Coordinates of all heavy atoms in Angstrom, one line a residue:
M143 N 0.9 -1.2 0.0 CA 0.0 0.0 0.0 C 0.9 1.2 0.0 O 1.8 1.4 0.9 CB -0.9 0.0 1.3 CG -1.9 1.0 1.3 SD -3.0 1.0 2.8 CE -3.9 -0.5 2.6
N144 N 0.7 2.1 -1.0 CA 1.6 3.3 -1.0 C 1.2 4.3 0.1 O 0.2 4.2 0.7 CB 1.6 3.9 -2.4 CG 0.3 4.6 -2.8 OD1 -0.4 5.1 -2.0 ND2 0.0 4.6 -4.1
Q145 N 2.1 5.3 0.2 CA 1.9 6.2 1.3 C 0.6 7.0 1.2 O -0.1 7.2 2.2 CB 3.1 7.2 1.4 CG 3.0 8.1 2.7 CD 4.3 8.8 2.9 OE1 5.3 8.5 2.3 NE2 4.3 9.7 3.9
V146 N 0.2 7.4 0.0 CA -1.1 8.2 -0.1 C -2.2 7.3 0.2 O -3.1 7.7 1.0 CB -1.2 8.7 -1.6 CG1 -2.6 9.2 -1.8 CG2 -0.1 9.7 -1.9
N147 N -2.2 6.0 -0.2 CA -3.3 5.1 0.1 C -3.3 4.9 1.6 O -4.4 4.8 2.2 CB -3.2 3.8 -0.6 CG -3.6 3.9 -2.1 OD1 -4.3 4.9 -2.4 ND2 -3.1 3.0 -2.9
R148 N -2.2 4.8 2.3 CA -2.1 4.6 3.7 C -2.7 5.8 4.4 O -3.5 5.6 5.4 CB -0.7 4.3 4.2 CG -0.3 2.9 4.1 CD 1.0 2.7 4.8 NE 1.9 2.3 3.7 CZ 3.2 2.5 3.6 NH1 3.8 3.0 4.6 NH2 3.8 2.1 2.6
R149 N -2.4 7.0 4.0 CA -3.0 8.2 4.6 C -4.5 8.2 4.4 O -5.2 8.6 5.3 CB -2.3 9.4 4.0 CG -0.9 9.7 4.5 CD -0.4 10.9 4.0 NE 1.0 11.2 4.5 CZ 1.7 12.2 4.1 NH1 1.2 13.1 3.3 NH2 2.9 12.3 4.6
L150 N -4.9 7.9 3.2 CA -6.4 7.9 3.0 C -7.1 6.9 3.8 O -8.2 7.1 4.4 CB -6.7 7.7 1.5 CG -6.3 8.9 0.6 CD1 -6.5 8.5 -0.9 CD2 -7.1 10.1 0.9
F151 N -6.5 5.7 3.9 CA -7.1 4.7 4.7 C -7.1 5.1 6.2 O -8.1 5.0 6.9 CB -6.3 3.4 4.6 CG -6.8 2.3 5.4 CD1 -8.0 1.6 5.1 CD2 -6.2 1.9 6.6 CE1 -8.5 0.6 5.9 CE2 -6.7 0.9 7.4 CZ -7.8 0.2 7.1
A152 N -6.0 5.6 6.7 CA -6.0 6.1 8.1 C -7.0 7.2 8.3 O -7.7 7.2 9.3 CB -4.6 6.6 8.4
A153 N -7.1 8.1 7.4 CA -8.1 9.2 7.5 C -9.5 8.6 7.5 O -10.3 9.1 8.3 CB -7.9 10.2 6.4
S154 N -9.8 7.7 6.7 CA -11.1 7.1 6.6 C -11.4 6.3 7.9 O -12.6 6.4 8.4 CB -11.4 6.3 5.4 OG -10.6 5.1 5.4
V155 N -10.5 5.6 8.5 CA -10.7 4.9 9.7 C -10.9 5.9 10.8 O -11.8 5.7 11.6 CB -9.5 4.0 10.0 CG1 -9.5 3.4 11.4 CG2 -9.4 2.9 9.0
L156 N -10.1 6.9 10.9 CA -10.3 8.0 11.9 C -11.7 8.6 11.8 O -12.4 8.8 12.8 CB -9.2 9.0 11.8 CG -9.3 10.2 12.8 CD1 -9.2 9.7 14.2 CD2 -8.2 11.2 12.4
T157 N -12.0 8.9 10.6 CA -13.3 9.5 10.3 C -14.4 8.7 10.8 O -15.4 9.1 11.5 CB -13.5 9.8 8.8 OG1 -12.5 10.7 8.4 CG2 -14.8 10.5 8.5
A158 N -14.4 7.4 10.5 CA -15.4 6.5 10.9 C -15.5 6.3 12.4 O -16.5 6.3 13.0 CB -15.2 5.1 10.2
A159 N -14.3 6.3 13.0 CA -14.3 6.1 14.5 C -14.8 7.4 15.2 O -15.5 7.3 16.2 CB -12.8 5.9 14.9
L160 N -14.5 8.5 14.7 CA -14.9 9.8 15.4 C -16.2 10.3 14.9 O -16.8 11.1 15.6 CB -13.8 10.8 15.2 CG -12.4 10.5 15.8 CD1 -11.5 11.6 15.4 CD2 -12.6 10.3 17.3
G161 N -16.6 9.9 13.7 CA -17.9 10.4 13.2 C -17.8 11.8 12.6 O -18.8 12.5 12.5
I162 N -16.6 12.3 12.4 CA -16.3 13.6 11.8 C -15.4 13.4 10.6 O -14.8 12.4 10.5 CB -15.7 14.6 12.8 CG1 -14.4 14.1 13.3 CG2 -16.7 14.9 13.9 CD1 -13.7 15.2 14.2
A163 N -15.2 14.5 9.9 CA -14.4 14.4 8.7 C -12.9 14.7 9.0 O -12.6 15.5 9.8 CB -14.9 15.4 7.6
A164 N -12.1 13.9 8.4 CA -10.6 14.1 8.4 C -10.2 14.3 7.0 O -10.8 13.7 6.1 CB -9.9 13.0 9.1
T165 N -9.2 15.0 6.8 CA -8.7 15.2 5.4 C -7.2 15.1 5.4 O -6.5 15.3 6.3 CB -9.2 16.5 4.8 OG1 -8.8 16.6 3.5 CG2 -8.7 17.7 5.6
T166 N -6.6 14.7 4.2 CA -5.2 14.5 4.1 C -4.6 15.6 3.3 O -3.4 15.6 3.1 CB -4.9 13.2 3.4 OG1 -5.5 13.1 2.2 CG2 -5.4 12.0 4.3
S167 N -5.3 16.6 2.8 CA -4.8 17.6 2.0 C -4.5 18.9 2.8 O -5.3 19.3 3.6 CB -5.7 18.0 0.9 OG -5.8 17.0 0.0
P168 N -3.3 19.5 2.6 CA -3.0 20.7 3.3 C -3.8 21.9 2.7 O -4.3 21.8 1.6 CB -1.5 20.9 3.0 CG -1.3 20.2 1.7 CD -2.2 19.1 1.7
G169 N -3.8 23.0 3.4 CA -4.3 24.2 2.8 C -5.8 24.5 3.1 O -6.4 25.3 2.5
F170 N -6.4 23.8 4.1 CA -7.8 24.0 4.4 C -7.9 25.1 5.4 O -7.0 25.5 6.1 CB -8.4 22.7 4.9 CG -8.4 21.7 3.8 CD1 -7.4 20.8 3.6 CD2 -9.5 21.6 2.9 CE1 -7.4 19.9 2.6 CE2 -9.5 20.7 1.9 CZ -8.5 19.9 1.7
A171 N -9.2 25.6 5.5 CA -9.5 26.7 6.4 C -8.8 28.0 6.1 O -8.5 28.8 7.0 CB -9.3 26.3 7.9
Q172 N -8.4 28.2 4.8 CA -7.8 29.4 4.4 C -8.8 30.5 4.2 O -9.8 30.3 3.6 CB -7.0 29.2 3.1 CG -5.9 28.2 3.3 CD -5.1 28.0 2.0 OE1 -5.1 28.8 1.1 NE2 -4.4 26.9 2.0
Q173 N -8.5 31.7 4.7 CA -9.4 32.8 4.5 C -8.8 33.7 3.4 O -7.6 33.7 3.1 CB -9.4 33.6 5.8 CG -9.9 32.8 7.0 CD -11.3 32.4 6.8 OE1 -12.1 33.1 6.3 NE2 -11.6 31.2 7.3
G174 N -9.7 34.4 2.7 CA -9.3 35.4 1.7 C -8.8 34.8 0.4 O -7.9 35.4 -0.2
M175 N -9.2 33.6 0.0 CA -8.8 33.1 -1.2 C -9.4 33.8 -2.4 O -10.6 34.2 -2.4 CB -9.1 31.6 -1.3 CG -8.3 30.7 -0.4 SD -8.9 29.0 -0.4 CE -8.2 28.5 -2.0
S176 N -8.6 34.1 -3.4 CA -9.1 34.7 -4.6 C -10.0 33.7 -5.4 O -9.9 32.5 -5.2 CB -8.0 35.2 -5.5 OG -7.3 34.1 -6.1
Q177 N -10.8 34.2 -6.4 CA -11.6 33.3 -7.2 C -10.7 32.4 -8.0 O -11.0 31.2 -8.1 CB -12.4 34.2 -8.2 CG -13.4 33.4 -9.0 CD -14.5 32.8 -8.2 OE1 -14.8 33.3 -7.1 NE2 -15.2 31.8 -8.7
D178 N -9.5 32.8 -8.5 CA -8.6 32.0 -9.2 C -8.0 30.9 -8.3 O -8.0 29.7 -8.7 CB -7.4 32.8 -9.8 CG -6.5 32.0 -10.6 OD1 -7.0 31.3 -11.6 OD2 -5.3 32.1 -10.4
Q179 N -7.7 31.2 -7.1 CA -7.2 30.2 -6.1 C -8.3 29.2 -5.8 O -8.0 28.0 -5.7 CB -6.7 30.9 -4.8 CG -5.5 31.7 -5.0 CD -5.2 32.5 -3.7 OE1 -6.0 33.2 -3.2 NE2 -3.9 32.5 -3.3
M180 N -9.5 29.7 -5.6 CA -10.6 28.7 -5.4 C -10.8 27.8 -6.5 O -11.0 26.6 -6.3 CB -11.9 29.5 -5.1 CG -12.0 30.1 -3.7 SD -13.6 30.7 -3.3 CE -13.5 32.4 -4.0
M181 N -10.7 28.3 -7.7 CA -10.9 27.4 -8.9 C -9.8 26.4 -9.0 O -10.0 25.2 -9.3 CB -11.0 28.2 -10.2 CG -12.2 29.1 -10.3 SD -13.8 28.2 -10.1 CE -13.8 27.3 -11.6
K182 N -8.6 26.8 -8.7 CA -7.4 25.9 -8.7 C -7.6 24.8 -7.6 O -7.3 23.6 -7.9 CB -6.1 26.6 -8.5 CG -5.7 27.4 -9.8 CD -4.4 28.2 -9.6 CE -4.1 29.0 -10.8 NZ -2.9 29.8 -10.6
M183 N -8.0 25.2 -6.4 CA -8.3 24.3 -5.4 C -9.3 23.3 -5.7 O -9.2 22.1 -5.5 CB -8.7 25.0 -4.1 CG -9.0 24.1 -2.9 SD -7.5 23.2 -2.2 CE -6.8 24.5 -1.4
K184 N -10.4 23.8 -6.3 CA -11.5 22.9 -6.8 C -11.0 21.9 -7.8 O -11.3 20.7 -7.7 CB -12.6 23.7 -7.4 CG -13.9 23.0 -7.6 CD -14.9 23.9 -8.2 CE -15.8 24.6 -7.2 NZ -16.9 25.3 -7.9
Q185 N -10.2 22.3 -8.8 CA -9.7 21.4 -9.8 C -8.7 20.4 -9.2 O -8.7 19.3 -9.5 CB -9.0 22.2 -10.9 CG -8.5 21.4 -12.1 CD -9.7 20.6 -12.7 OE1 -10.7 21.2 -13.1 NE2 -9.5 19.3 -12.9
S186 N -7.9 20.9 -8.3 CA -7.0 20.0 -7.6 C -7.7 18.9 -6.8 O -7.3 17.7 -6.9 CB -6.1 20.8 -6.6 OG -5.3 19.9 -5.8
N187 N -8.8 19.2 -6.2 CA -9.6 18.3 -5.4 C -10.2 17.3 -6.4 O -10.3 16.1 -6.1 CB -10.7 18.9 -4.6 CG -10.1 19.5 -3.3 OD1 -9.0 19.2 -2.9 ND2 -10.8 20.5 -2.8
M188 N -10.7 17.7 -7.5 CA -11.4 16.8 -8.5 C -10.3 15.9 -9.1 O -10.6 14.7 -9.3 CB -12.1 17.6 -9.6 CG -13.3 18.4 -9.0 SD -14.5 17.4 -8.1 CE -14.2 18.0 -6.5
D189 N -9.1 16.4 -9.4 CA -8.0 15.6 -9.9 C -7.7 14.5 -8.9 O -7.5 13.3 -9.2 CB -6.8 16.4 -10.2 CG -7.0 17.3 -11.4 OD1 -8.0 17.1 -12.2 OD2 -6.2 18.2 -11.6
R190 N -7.6 14.9 -7.6 CA -7.2 14.0 -6.5 C -8.3 12.9 -6.4 O -8.0 11.7 -6.2 CB -7.1 14.8 -5.2 CG -6.6 14.0 -4.0 CD -6.2 14.8 -2.9 NE -7.3 15.7 -2.4 CZ -8.1 15.5 -1.4 NH1 -8.0 14.4 -0.7 NH2 -9.0 16.4 -1.1
A191 N -9.6 13.3 -6.5 CA -10.7 12.3 -6.4 C -10.6 11.3 -7.5 O -10.7 10.1 -7.3 CB -12.0 13.1 -6.5
K192 N -10.3 11.8 -8.7 CA -10.2 10.9 -9.9 C -9.1 9.9 -9.7 O -9.2 8.7 -9.9 CB -10.1 11.7 -11.2 CG -10.2 10.8 -12.4 CD -10.2 11.7 -13.6 CE -10.3 10.8 -14.9 NZ -10.3 11.7 -16.1
K193 N -7.9 10.4 -9.4 CA -6.7 9.6 -9.3 C -6.8 8.6 -8.1 O -6.3 7.5 -8.2 CB -5.5 10.4 -9.1 CG -5.1 11.2 -10.3 CD -3.9 12.0 -10.1 CE -3.6 12.9 -11.3 NZ -2.5 13.9 -11.0
G194 N -7.4 9.0 -7.0 CA -7.5 8.2 -5.8 C -8.7 7.4 -5.7 O -8.9 6.8 -4.6
H195 N -9.6 7.4 -6.7 CA -10.9 6.7 -6.6 C -11.7 7.1 -5.4 O -12.1 6.3 -4.6 CB -10.7 5.2 -6.6 CG -9.9 4.7 -7.8 ND1 -10.4 4.7 -9.1 CD2 -8.6 4.3 -7.9 CE1 -9.5 4.3 -9.9 NE2 -8.4 4.0 -9.3
L196 N -11.7 8.5 -5.2 CA -12.4 9.0 -4.0 C -13.8 9.5 -4.4 O -14.0 9.9 -5.6 CB -11.6 10.2 -3.5 CG -10.2 9.9 -3.1 CD1 -9.4 11.2 -2.7 CD2 -10.1 8.9 -2.0
V197 N -14.7 9.6 -3.5 CA -16.1 10.1 -3.7 C -16.4 11.2 -2.8 O -15.8 11.3 -1.7 CB -17.1 9.0 -3.6 CG1 -16.9 7.9 -4.6 CG2 -17.1 8.4 -2.2
A198 N -17.3 12.1 -3.1 CA -17.7 13.2 -2.3 C -18.7 12.6 -1.2 O -19.7 11.9 -1.6 CB -18.4 14.2 -3.1
C199 N -18.4 12.8 0.0 CA -19.2 12.4 1.1 C -19.7 13.6 1.9 O -18.9 14.3 2.5 CB -18.4 11.5 2.0 SG -19.4 10.7 3.3
Y200 N -21.0 13.8 1.8 CA -21.6 15.0 2.3 C -22.0 14.8 3.8 O -22.4 13.7 4.2 CB -22.9 15.4 1.5 CG -22.6 15.8 0.1 CD1 -22.5 14.9 -0.9 CD2 -22.4 17.2 -0.2 CE1 -22.2 15.3 -2.2 CE2 -22.2 17.6 -1.5 CZ -22.1 16.6 -2.5 OH -21.8 17.0 -3.8
G201 N -22.0 15.9 4.6 CA -22.5 15.8 5.9 C -21.6 15.3 7.0 O -22.0 15.0 8.1
I202 N -20.3 15.2 6.7 CA -19.4 14.6 7.7 C -18.2 15.6 8.0 O -17.3 15.3 8.7 CB -18.8 13.3 7.2 CG1 -17.9 13.4 5.9 CG2 -19.9 12.2 7.0 CD1 -17.0 12.2 5.6
N203 N -18.2 16.8 7.4 CA -17.2 17.7 7.6 C -17.1 18.3 9.0 O -18.2 18.4 9.6 CB -17.3 18.8 6.6 CG -18.5 19.7 6.8 OD1 -19.6 19.3 6.6 ND2 -18.2 20.9 7.2
A204 N -16.0 18.8 9.4 CA -15.9 19.7 10.6 C -15.9 21.1 10.0 O -15.6 21.3 8.8 CB -14.6 19.4 11.3
A205 N -16.2 22.1 10.8 CA -16.2 23.5 10.4 C -14.8 23.8 9.8 O -13.8 23.6 10.5 CB -16.6 24.4 11.5
G206 N -14.8 24.4 8.6 CA -13.6 24.8 8.0 C -12.8 23.6 7.4 O -11.6 23.8 7.0
R207 N -13.3 22.4 7.4 CA -12.5 21.2 7.0 C -13.3 20.5 5.9 O -13.7 19.3 6.2 CB -12.2 20.3 8.2 CG -11.4 20.9 9.3 CD -10.0 21.2 9.0 NE -9.3 19.9 8.8 CZ -8.0 19.8 8.6 NH1 -7.3 20.8 8.5 NH2 -7.5 18.6 8.5
N208 N -13.6 21.1 4.8 CA -14.3 20.4 3.7 C -13.5 20.5 2.5 O -12.6 21.4 2.3 CB -15.7 21.1 3.5 CG -15.6 22.6 3.1 OD1 -15.1 23.4 3.9 ND2 -16.0 22.9 2.0
D209 N -13.7 19.7 1.5 CA -13.0 19.7 0.2 C -13.7 20.6 -0.8 O -13.1 21.1 -1.7 CB -12.8 18.3 -0.3 CG -11.8 17.5 0.4 OD1 -10.8 18.1 0.8 OD2 -12.0 16.3 0.6
C210 N -15.0 20.7 -0.7 CA -15.8 21.5 -1.6 C -17.3 21.5 -1.1 O -17.6 21.0 0.0 CB -15.7 21.0 -3.0 SG -15.8 22.4 -4.2
A211 N -18.2 22.1 -1.9 CA -19.6 22.2 -1.5 C -20.5 22.5 -2.6 O -20.0 22.8 -3.7 CB -19.8 23.2 -0.4
V212 N -21.8 22.4 -2.4 CA -22.8 22.7 -3.3 C -23.6 23.9 -2.7 O -24.1 23.8 -1.6 CB -23.8 21.5 -3.6 CG1 -24.9 21.9 -4.5 CG2 -23.0 20.4 -4.2
G213 N -23.8 25.0 -3.4 CA -24.6 26.0 -3.0 C -24.0 27.1 -2.1 O -23.5 28.1 -2.7
A214 N -23.9 27.0 -0.8 CA -23.6 28.0 0.1 C -22.2 28.6 -0.1 O -22.0 29.8 0.0 CB -23.7 27.5 1.5
H215 N -21.2 27.8 -0.5 CA -19.9 28.3 -0.8 C -19.3 27.4 -1.8 O -19.9 26.4 -2.1 CB -19.0 28.3 0.5 CG -19.0 27.1 1.3 ND1 -18.2 26.0 1.0 CD2 -19.8 26.6 2.3 CE1 -18.4 25.0 1.8 NE2 -19.4 25.3 2.6
S216 N -18.1 27.7 -2.3 CA -17.6 26.9 -3.4 C -16.3 26.3 -3.3 O -15.7 25.8 -4.2 CB -17.7 27.8 -4.7 OG -16.8 28.9 -4.5
C217 N -15.7 26.5 -2.1 CA -14.3 26.0 -2.0 C -13.9 25.3 -0.7 O -14.7 25.3 0.2 CB -13.4 27.2 -2.2 SG -11.7 26.8 -2.5
A218 N -12.8 24.7 -0.8 CA -12.3 23.9 0.4 C -12.1 24.9 1.6 O -11.6 26.0 1.4 CB -10.9 23.3 0.0
G219 N -12.4 24.4 2.7 CA -12.1 25.1 3.9 C -13.1 26.2 4.3 O -12.9 26.9 5.2
Q220 N -14.2 26.3 3.5 CA -15.1 27.4 3.7 C -16.4 27.0 4.5 O -17.3 27.9 4.7 CB -15.5 28.1 2.4 CG -14.4 28.8 1.7 CD -14.8 29.5 0.5 OE1 -15.9 29.3 0.0 NE2 -13.9 30.3 0.0
A221 N -16.5 25.8 4.9 CA -17.7 25.4 5.6 C -17.7 26.1 7.0 O -16.7 26.1 7.7 CB -17.7 23.9 5.9
T222 N -18.8 26.7 7.3 CA -18.9 27.4 8.6 C -19.5 26.6 9.7 O -19.5 27.0 10.9 CB -19.8 28.7 8.4 OG1 -21.1 28.3 8.0 CG2 -19.1 29.7 7.5
Q223 N -20.0 25.4 9.4 CA -20.6 24.5 10.4 C -20.2 23.1 10.2 O -19.9 22.7 9.0 CB -22.1 24.6 10.4 CG -22.8 24.0 9.1 CD -24.3 24.1 9.2 OE1 -24.8 25.0 9.7 NE2 -24.9 23.1 8.5
A224 N -20.1 22.4 11.3 CA -19.8 20.9 11.2 C -21.0 20.2 10.6 O -22.1 20.6 10.8 CB -19.4 20.4 12.5
R225 N -20.7 19.1 9.9 CA -21.8 18.2 9.4 C -22.7 19.0 8.5 O -23.9 18.7 8.5 CB -22.5 17.5 10.5 CG -21.6 16.6 11.3 CD -22.4 15.8 12.3 NE -21.6 14.8 12.9 CZ -21.4 13.6 12.4 NH1 -22.0 13.2 11.2 NH2 -20.7 12.7 13.0
D226 N -22.2 19.9 7.7 CA -23.0 20.7 6.7 C -23.5 19.7 5.6 O -22.7 19.1 5.0 CB -22.1 21.8 6.1 CG -22.8 22.6 5.1 OD1 -23.9 22.3 4.7 OD2 -22.2 23.6 4.7
P227 N -24.8 19.6 5.4 CA -25.3 18.7 4.4 C -25.0 19.1 3.0 O -25.1 18.2 2.1 CB -26.8 18.7 4.7 CG -27.1 20.0 5.3 CD -25.8 20.4 6.1
N228 N -24.4 20.3 2.8 CA -24.0 20.7 1.4 C -22.5 20.7 1.2 O -22.1 21.1 0.1 CB -24.7 22.0 1.1 CG -26.2 21.9 1.0 OD1 -26.7 21.0 0.3 ND2 -26.9 22.8 1.6
S229 N -21.8 20.4 2.2 CA -20.3 20.4 2.1 C -19.9 18.9 2.1 O -20.4 18.1 2.7 CB -19.6 21.1 3.3 OG -19.9 22.5 3.3
F230 N -18.8 18.7 1.3 CA -18.3 17.3 1.2 C -16.8 17.2 1.5 O -16.1 18.2 1.4 CB -18.7 16.6 -0.1 CG -18.0 17.2 -1.3 CD1 -16.7 16.8 -1.6 CD2 -18.6 18.0 -2.2 CE1 -16.1 17.2 -2.8 CE2 -18.0 18.5 -3.3 CZ -16.7 18.1 -3.6
V231 N -16.5 16.0 1.9 CA -15.1 15.6 2.1 C -14.9 14.4 1.1 O -15.7 13.5 1.0 CB -14.8 15.2 3.6 CG1 -13.5 14.6 3.8 CG2 -15.1 16.3 4.5
L232 N -13.7 14.4 0.5 CA -13.4 13.3 -0.4 C -12.9 12.1 0.5 O -12.0 12.2 1.3 CB -12.3 13.7 -1.4 CG -12.8 14.8 -2.4 CD1 -11.6 15.2 -3.2 CD2 -13.9 14.3 -3.3
V233 N -13.5 10.9 0.3 CA -13.2 9.7 1.0 C -13.1 8.6 0.0 O -13.6 8.6 -1.1 CB -14.2 9.4 2.1 CG1 -14.2 10.5 3.1 CG2 -15.6 9.1 1.5
P234 N -12.4 7.5 0.3 CA -12.3 6.4 -0.6 C -13.7 5.8 -0.9 O -14.6 5.8 0.0 CB -11.4 5.3 0.2 CG -10.6 6.2 1.1 CD -11.5 7.3 1.5
A235 N -13.9 5.4 -2.1 CA -15.2 4.8 -2.5 C -15.6 3.7 -1.5 O -14.7 2.8 -1.2 CB -15.1 4.3 -3.9
G236 N -16.8 3.7 -1.1 CA -17.3 2.6 -0.2 C -17.2 3.0 1.3 O -17.9 2.4 2.1
D237 N -16.5 4.1 1.6 CA -16.3 4.5 3.0 C -17.4 5.4 3.5 O -17.8 5.4 4.7 CB -15.0 5.1 3.3 CG -13.8 4.1 3.3 OD1 -14.1 2.9 3.2 OD2 -12.7 4.6 3.5
C238 N -18.0 6.2 2.6 CA -19.0 7.2 3.0 C -20.2 6.5 3.7 O -20.6 7.0 4.7 CB -19.5 8.0 1.8 SG -20.6 9.4 2.2
E239 N -20.6 5.4 3.2 CA -21.8 4.8 3.7 C -21.5 4.2 5.1 O -22.4 3.9 5.9 CB -22.2 3.6 2.8 CG -22.6 4.1 1.4 CD -21.5 4.2 0.4 OE1 -20.3 4.1 0.8 OE2 -21.8 4.4 -0.8
K240 N -20.2 4.1 5.5 CA -19.8 3.5 6.8 C -19.7 4.6 7.9 O -19.6 4.3 9.0 CB -18.5 2.8 6.7 CG -18.5 1.6 5.7 CD -17.1 1.1 5.5 CE -17.1 0.0 4.4 NZ -15.8 -0.5 4.2
I241 N -19.8 5.8 7.4 CA -19.6 7.0 8.4 C -20.9 7.5 8.8 O -21.8 7.7 8.0 CB -18.8 8.1 7.7 CG1 -17.4 7.5 7.3 CG2 -18.6 9.2 8.7 CD1 -16.6 8.5 6.4
D242 N -21.1 7.6 10.1 CA -22.4 8.1 10.7 C -22.7 9.5 10.1 O -21.9 10.4 10.1 CB -22.2 8.3 12.2 CG -23.5 8.7 12.8 OD1 -24.6 8.3 12.4 OD2 -23.4 9.5 13.8
G243 N -23.8 9.6 9.4 CA -24.3 10.8 8.8 C -23.8 11.0 7.4 O -24.2 12.0 6.7
G244 N -22.9 10.2 6.9 CA -22.4 10.3 5.5 C -23.4 10.0 4.4 O -24.1 9.1 4.5
K245 N -23.5 10.9 3.4 CA -24.4 10.8 2.3 C -23.6 11.1 1.0 O -22.8 11.9 1.0 CB -25.6 11.7 2.5 CG -26.4 11.4 3.7 CD -27.6 12.3 3.7 CE -28.6 12.1 4.8 NZ -28.3 11.4 6.0
L246 N -24.0 10.3 0.0 CA -23.4 10.5 -1.3 C -24.0 11.7 -2.1 O -23.5 12.0 -3.2 CB -23.4 9.2 -2.1 CG -22.6 8.1 -1.5 CD1 -22.9 6.8 -2.3 CD2 -21.1 8.4 -1.5
K247 N -25.1 12.3 -1.6 CA -25.7 13.4 -2.3 C -25.9 14.5 -1.3 O -26.1 14.3 -0.1 CB -27.0 13.0 -2.9 CG -26.9 12.0 -4.0 CD -28.2 11.7 -4.7 CE -28.0 10.7 -5.8 NZ -28.9 10.6 -6.8
A248 N -25.8 15.8 -1.8 CA -26.0 16.9 -1.0 C -27.4 17.0 -0.5 O -28.4 16.5 -1.1 CB -25.7 18.2 -1.8
G249 N -27.6 17.8 0.6 CA -28.9 18.0 1.2 C -29.3 17.0 2.1 O -30.2 16.8 2.8

């Protein structure tokens, strides 16, 4: 198992155990990001999801610890509340359903 997979596995285990979102990417909870920075972050997250076979899991984030969202805000680290039903964290496929409150669709 390579180091990225080990980190993702550890994050998903921690997430499941605590019932909150954990993430392995740096740069979250940043304030004052420009539109260009937000778009780059969004693209980076989508690339990471595709390469790592990750899925968006809604409703498991901690405040300021999300990978992206639908509606209220558009970028990583901008969730203002924990367990926001419109914010998601990228997790390995199959793990979202194992996390308390995790949903594969927003809302």
Side-chain angles (χ1 to χ4, degrees):
M143 189 181 292
N144 68 33
Q145 187 166 351
V146 171
N147 286 339
R148 272 189 248 153
R149 285 185 181 177
L150 289 172
F151 178 74
S154 66
V155 169
L156 177 63
T157 300
L160 297 176
I162 61 171
T165 183
T166 59
S167 292
F170 293 91
Q172 295 180 19
Q173 300 297 322
M175 291 176 72
S176 71
Q177 187 69 22
D178 186 51
Q179 289 170 315
M180 283 190 272
M181 293 305 291
K182 286 180 183 177
M183 178 69 75
K184 192 183 268 188
Q185 185 61 48
S186 173
N187 284 339
M188 295 305 108
D189 291 344
R190 185 168 55 99
K192 186 175 181 179
K193 288 178 187 174
H195 305 287
L196 305 175
V197 297
C199 187
Y200 294 86
I202 64 166
N203 68 292
R207 302 288 291 184
N208 62 296
D209 286 322
C210 214
V212 174
H215 54 83
S216 63
C217 193
Q220 292 184 347
T222 58
Q223 68 180 31
R225 297 187 171 274
D226 181 351
N228 292 314
S229 294
F230 68 82
V231 175
L232 296 172
V233 298
D237 284 359
C238 185
E239 299 86 349
K240 297 174 187 174
I241 301 170
D242 183 35
K245 295 183 177 19
L246 295 174
K247 295 188 181 201

